[in-house]
Amino acid sequence: MPAVRIGDRVHRLDRPVVVGRRPASPRVVPGAAPELVTVASPTGLVSSSHVRFSAAGTSTVVDDLGSTNGTVIRPAGAPPHRMPSGASMVVLTGTVVDIGDGNGIEVLSPFTRAVPPVVARPSDRWPSDTSSPRSLPGPRSVPNTRERS
């Protein structure tokens, strides 16, 4: 499942994500209701509901929701370009979607974890992992069988 990084949070696209300065759900929602993500826009460059991110298989689709000031797509290793208002496009991993006021949204790999991996605590060990270090075999000394000349 693809994901996007907005600020310091990762959002998996198991449902659409609508980003804006005051995002709202559309009146008609086919499928799952979108996750609404509010971003700061001190100068008002970001529209109320600016862009929507959704998954199409392992691909990420970006929809400009008729934003006033536009959306700039910055593909990794390619020149940036402005999306037409209301346009929709498939973007690749590594693309940054710039919606203004310093809000760059990074498109992540479908294989990115949304949460950090859990580190096992001593109480979370498997029963077979409970042997103490004293009972584990250590390095063995091997007698020298070569003759010296």
Side-chain angles (χ1 to χ4, degrees), residues 44-47 50 67-71 82 99:
L45 289 175
V46 178
S47 294
H50 198 104
S67 66
T68 304
N69 294 306
T71 300
R82 183 174 296 278
I99 61 174

Side-chain angles (χ1 to χ4, degrees), residues 1-5 10-13 60 106-110 112-114:
M1 172 100 13
V4 292
R5 183 184 328 272
V10 173
H11 302 267
R12 291 184 58 92
L13 299 179
T60 301
E106 182 184 6
V107 176
L108 303 174
S109 165
T112 300
R113 291 174 157 262

Side-chain angles (χ1 to χ4, degrees), residues 17-30:
V17 173
V18 175
V19 183
R21 79 186 138 77
R22 280 181 313 211
S25 285
R27 291 182 185 185
V28 178
V29 179

Side-chain angles (χ1 to χ4, degrees), residues 23-43:
S25 285
R27 291 182 185 185
V28 178
V29 179
E35 178 180 358
L36 306 177
V37 178
T38 302
V39 295
S41 182
T43 64

Side-chain angles (χ1 to χ4, degrees), residues 68-118:
T68 304
N69 294 306
T71 300
V72 175
I73 304 297
R74 299 180 188 284
H81 61 278
R82 183 174 296 278
M83 281 181 78
S85 181
S88 179
M89 71 182 341
V90 175
V91 294
L92 301 173
T93 297
T95 297
V96 175
V97 179
D98 185 349
I99 61 174
D101 272 342
N103 292 294
I105 301 162
E106 182 184 6
V107 176
L108 303 174
S109 165
F111 308 105
T112 300
R113 291 174 157 262
V115 293
V118 176

